[in-house]
């Protein structure tokens, strides 16, 4: 959300990527929801949520690095988040606003059990509903921090193996909360950037 609070008081992250192919993939997705490529929207052909289609462009080479792009709900984003989590060999860090997906929590706990260092931060909003918070709270203990207070923790970020450049270090970020709603109904985006920098 672009607003005064989001810019000035809410914890968010922003990333700038200068790449024509990636920009056109975002533009094509916008056109699907706009319903046209012209200056006026077309409500007859506009498609949102589960009525959208997968446009099929998910992998980009940007500056010699692989970048993945997924839009929800068409691109099975939760599976790609789990795949990124499962790729951790040494350490992973998660920082998520609304985290209710038990599947992602279970994947993090499995990496923790395998010896991967797995600290995380979630917003207190995640404690309200869903199976993820009880799993993470019990399984990670002091490795998990719950952000409380007036300023919400609005990130949706995963960092994998930043200390192991021989692995596949990556950063995952976007608008997609780790929830069933985001995965199956919402219009969201997720980037997975394979890079140690």
């Amino acid at each position: 959300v672009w607003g005064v609070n989001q810019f000035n008081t809410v914890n968010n992250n922003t990333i700038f990527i200068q790449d024509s192919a990636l920009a056109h993939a975002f533009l094509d997705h916008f056109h699907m929801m706009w319903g046209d490529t012209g200056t006026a929207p077309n409500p007859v052909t506009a498609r949102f949520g589960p009525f959208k289609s997968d446009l099929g462009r998910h992998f980009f080479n940007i500056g010699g690095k692989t970048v993945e792009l997924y839009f929800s709900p068409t691109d099975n984003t939760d599976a790609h988040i789990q795949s990124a989590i499962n790729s951790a060999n040494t350490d992973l860090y998660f920082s998520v606003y609304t985290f209710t997906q038990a599947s992602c929590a279970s994947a993090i706990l499995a990496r923790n059990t395998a010896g991967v260092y797995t600290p995380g931060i979630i917003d207190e909003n995640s404690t309200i509903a869903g199976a993820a918070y009880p799993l993470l709270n019990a399984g990670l203990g002091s490795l998990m921090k719950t952000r409380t207070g007036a300023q919400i923790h609005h990130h949706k970020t995963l960092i994998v193996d930043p200390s192991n450049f021989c692995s596949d270090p990556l950063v995952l970020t976007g608008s997609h909360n780790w929830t069933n709603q985001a995965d199956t109904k919402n219009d969201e985006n997720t980037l997975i950037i394979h890079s140690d920098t």
Side-chain angles (χ1 to χ4, degrees):
V1 179
W2 287 10
V4 172
N5 285 343
Q6 293 289 327
F7 285 128
N8 297 305
T9 62
V10 173
N11 297 292
N12 282 303
N13 66 65
T14 303
I15 187 165
F16 294 92
I17 299 176
Q18 187 171 345
D19 182 78
S20 179
L22 185 66
H24 278 89
F26 272 93
L27 180 62
D28 290 345
H29 192 80
F30 175 85
H31 286 153
M32 182 176 12
M33 294 185 295
W34 187 251
D36 201 297
T37 58
T39 58
N42 184 339
V44 174
T45 57
R47 289 181 282 166
F48 293 92
F51 302 103
K52 294 186 304 186
S53 58
D54 180 352
L55 295 178
R57 290 181 293 165
H58 301 294
F59 294 90
F60 302 84
N61 184 314
I62 302 173
K65 304 293 183 180
T66 299
V67 175
E68 299 175 52
L69 170 63
Y70 302 104
F71 291 105
S72 304
T74 57
D75 297 348
N76 198 17
T77 303
D78 184 57
H80 299 291
I81 293 171
Q82 288 179 54
S83 180
I85 292 168
N86 292 334
S87 76
N89 293 309
T90 306
D91 50 349
L92 71 78
Y93 306 81
F94 63 94
S95 179
V96 183
Y97 173 56
T98 307
F99 188 159
T100 60
Q101 281 286 57
S103 54
C104 290
S106 295
I108 290 170
L109 293 174
R111 299 315 304 141
N112 178 269
T113 300
V116 173
Y117 180 61
T118 58
I121 304 167
I122 62 173
D123 191 81
E124 64 184 335
N125 185 52
S126 293
T127 66
I128 297 168
Y133 180 79
L135 289 171
L136 293 167
N137 195 38
L140 297 181
S142 64
L143 287 177
M144 191 179 75
K145 176 174 176 49
T146 304
R147 174 81 165 112
T148 60
Q151 292 182 333
I152 63 171
H153 187 78
H154 205 231
H155 299 286
K156 295 93 176 179
T157 304
L158 172 71
I159 306 164
V160 171
D161 286 342
S163 63
N164 184 352
F165 64 87
C166 291
S167 179
D168 179 17
L170 61 83
V171 171
L172 180 151
T173 192
S175 66
H176 184 104
N177 282 299
W178 295 7
T179 67
N180 187 59
Q181 180 81 13
D183 199 48
T184 61
K185 296 179 181 177
N186 295 357
D187 293 299
E188 309 285 0
N189 67 80
T190 298
L191 285 171
I192 304 174
I193 303 157
H194 296 262
S195 174
D196 62 339
T197 55

